[in-house]
Amino acid sequence: WPVRYFFTFIVVCGLFIFFLIEGMIIYHANRKADPGMDYLIVLGAQIRGTQITNSLYKRLKVSEMYLKENPETKVIVSGGKGPGEDIAEAEAMKKFLIENGIEEKRILVEDKSTSTVENIRFSRRLITKENAKVAIVTNGFHVFRSVGIAKKQGLADAQGLAAPSDKVLLISYYVREVLGVIKDFALGNM
């Protein structure tokens, strides 16, 4: 009997932690950054060859709208070149923003990163303003972890700017993100 109670306790604790983290992810999933941010950091997502994917397109559209409403804000496009990609994600992102009316002089390129932690770390090096107001642009399910990572790396006032996610994959994204939060918390990234 005591072993059964022990395992029940472990399962209940695990479920409590899962739902607590999931609640934080959902709570942050629709964040809209304050107007007048100094920088946006747009996190990369997979491209195919040189073509942006739907997930990245949504991040870029949210960024484009924000940048048009806030003409003083600069944008850092962040993402390296991975398998199946002919160019760095950041290059594809820069091209998209220029084609959609954002001046090239407002766009900074970080094209070496391969993870969210590196996206933030390498992008941070491009920020020249002291105590800059920074918003992290990513899909809603990813905002909580991304902002947590940014704050851990010294961007104390980082905010999230959420882009929508593909509705078909939404449950998968949200469940998988709990594991990402646990991993980055365990590794000290957030």
Side-chain angles (χ1 to χ4, degrees):
W1 290 94
V3 173
R4 191 175 97 192
Y5 290 130
F6 175 75
F7 283 115
T8 301
F9 175 76
I10 295 298
V11 169
V12 169
C13 286
L15 287 171
F16 175 77
I17 291 168
F18 175 85
F19 285 112
L20 180 67
I21 294 170
E22 196 65 64
M24 296 301 290
I25 292 168
I26 291 168
Y27 176 76
H28 288 86
N30 295 306
R31 290 295 166 135
K32 299 297 176 209
D34 294 339
M37 301 302 282
D38 296 309
Y39 294 90
L40 297 183
I41 298 175
V42 187
L43 302 183
Q46 182 184 32
I47 61 173
R48 292 189 184 92
T50 60
Q51 300 300 308
I52 61 172
T53 54
N54 194 36
S55 205
L56 187 54
Y57 173 80
K58 291 177 181 189
R59 295 177 191 187
L60 290 167
K61 286 307 285 183
V62 165
S63 302
E64 173 197 338
M65 289 189 318
Y66 185 93
L67 292 165
K68 286 179 177 175
E69 292 170 5
N70 297 275
E72 299 302 312
T73 302
K74 293 183 179 177
V75 59
I76 301 170
V77 289
S78 180
K81 181 176 177 255
E85 299 177 337
D86 295 337
I87 59 173
E89 295 163 5
E91 287 301 323
M93 295 158 75
K94 178 181 176 181
K95 180 177 182 270
F96 176 93
L97 290 173
I98 290 170
E99 288 173 355
N100 285 278
I102 305 303
E103 302 103 331
E104 186 171 0
K105 68 181 181 183
R106 294 175 66 194
I107 304 170
L108 303 168
V109 176
E110 181 290 297
D111 61 0
K112 303 291 183 242
S113 58
T114 60
S115 68
T116 304
V117 172
E118 288 182 355
N119 286 139
I120 307 290
R121 181 181 305 132
F122 299 163
S123 294
R124 194 165 178 264
R125 296 174 186 163
L126 300 174
I127 296 172
T128 56
K129 184 175 180 182
E130 193 74 27
N131 299 315
K133 296 184 294 180
V134 178
I136 311 298
V137 184
T138 189
N139 301 94
F141 67 89
H142 195 227
V143 169
F144 174 66
R145 180 162 54 118
S146 301
V147 170
I149 290 169
K151 288 183 177 188
K152 180 75 175 198
Q153 292 190 27
L155 296 172
D157 296 323
Q159 298 181 18
L161 179 55
S165 301
D166 292 329
K167 292 193 184 336
V168 174
L169 299 171
L170 211 53
I171 292 172
S172 169
Y173 288 148
Y174 277 88
V175 171
R176 190 183 69 195
E177 187 63 13
V178 171
L179 301 176
V181 169
I182 292 169
K183 177 196 74 153
D184 276 321
F185 184 77
L187 294 174
N189 294 329
M190 58 182 298

